[in-house]
Amino acid sequence: MLPAEFYFTYDTLTLSQKLLGCELVHDSAEGITAGIIVETEGYLVGDPACHAYRNKTKRNAPMFGVPGNIYVYQIYGMYLCVNISSGGEGVGEAVLIRALQPTQGQELMQERRSRHKSASGKVLKEKDLCNGPAKLVQAMGITKLHNNFLVYNSEIYCNEPILADVEIVTTTRIGITQGADLPYRFYVKGNRFVSRK
DNA sequence: TTCCGGATTACCT
DNA sequence: GGTAATCCGGAAA
């Protein structure tokens, strides 16, 4: 497992890139699910798209926790996304996890994902399990209860890189209007589990 | 207290 | 490629 120091060592944009290739694991009561992080975005101080841009609130408080603190928020009334706090304690920055390449518990991922979908019962292709921030939250069984869990000291944690020396593509973030030109999105080049090229 | 719009997804054509 | 679904947080009044 990656130690606490890993999250303290790097600034937010560097950490966003360092996390690519690492395995995110959730050891839950239902079973273990895991996947390699293949896509991330950084949200920084002074960045208008960052939830902590204006000030600290009840919702964004987990972003101000120690690096490695988990921040889960609801979006569009029906989805959740997960972030890892970064940039130092008391600094409102975080890394958004946007896509995973499944490595463990794909069956459980299927079940959790179909639980959320409307009663179509269709079996998803493996690449559709975790190729989006809200999708991977469903597949991994992450909820708001995981707010303020530490990613190096809880049932959710990161392992050392599985993909080594990956080639990283740097581009603009998805789904935002403020700060849309900032190159704060990173993904593993050529990986088919990325949400968008 | 009211109002607005969002770090998305699934399903349709 | 277009759009409905769906509701909470935060800003303004």
Side-chain angles (χ1 to χ4, degrees):
Chain A
M1 185 191 303
L2 291 167
E5 296 79 62
F6 181 83
Y7 303 93
F8 285 81
T9 300
Y10 306 107
D11 62 79
T12 297
L13 293 180
T14 305
L15 182 64
S16 301
Q17 296 169 76
K18 290 283 181 185
L19 283 169
L20 294 176
C22 299
E23 187 183 39
L24 182 69
V25 183
H26 183 197
D27 188 350
S28 77
E30 291 184 302
I32 291 180
T33 46
I36 301 167
I37 297 170
V38 295
E39 179 179 352
T40 59
E41 288 178 358
Y43 287 86
L44 308 187
V45 167
D47 163 14
C50 181
H51 285 180
Y53 180 55
R54 294 172 188 278
N55 46 36
K56 187 171 173 178
T57 67
K58 188 178 175 185
R59 176 177 69 148
N60 66 30
M63 294 180 78
F64 292 81
V66 296
N69 198 43
I70 291 177
Y71 169 47
V72 181
Y73 70 93
Q74 186 180 30
I75 187 66
Y76 296 116
M78 52 173 95
Y79 298 112
L80 299 174
C81 296
V82 64
N83 295 253
I84 297 174
S85 175
S86 57
E89 183 166 12
V91 178
E93 302 193 344
V95 179
L96 171 70
I97 310 298
R98 285 196 54 92
L100 301 177
Q101 173 177 342
T103 53
Q104 297 182 61
Q106 286 91 335
E107 272 190 30
L108 180 53
M109 288 182 175
Q110 278 282 355
E111 189 194 321
R112 284 171 173 156
R113 293 272 287 120
S114 48
R115 223 182 271 164
H116 287 270
K117 290 194 315 170
S118 46
S120 60
K122 209 186 306 176
V123 176
L124 295 167
K125 294 173 182 166
E126 186 179 33
K127 76 166 178 55
D128 293 321
L129 289 173
C130 297
N131 63 342
K135 295 178 182 179
L136 72 89
V137 162
Q138 291 178 2
M140 295 289 281
I142 294 171
T143 71
K144 279 189 175 178
L145 297 176
H146 293 106
N147 261 318
N148 298 310
F149 278 45
L150 294 174
V151 79
Y152 48 81
N153 182 24
S154 74
E155 64 189 52
I156 298 175
Y157 57 91
C158 270
N159 282 328
E160 304 281 333
I162 290 184
L163 301 178
D165 301 320
V166 293
E167 197 170 342
I168 297 172
V169 177
T170 302
T171 180
T172 53
R173 295 172 293 183
I174 291 177
I176 57 171
T177 52
Q178 306 278 313
D181 295 336
L182 299 169
Y184 294 168
R185 172 171 174 252
F186 310 96
Y187 66 85
V188 176
K189 186 172 184 178
N191 188 285
R192 70 192 190 94
F193 296 91
V194 169
S195 69
R196 291 203 222 169
K197 316 297 181 200

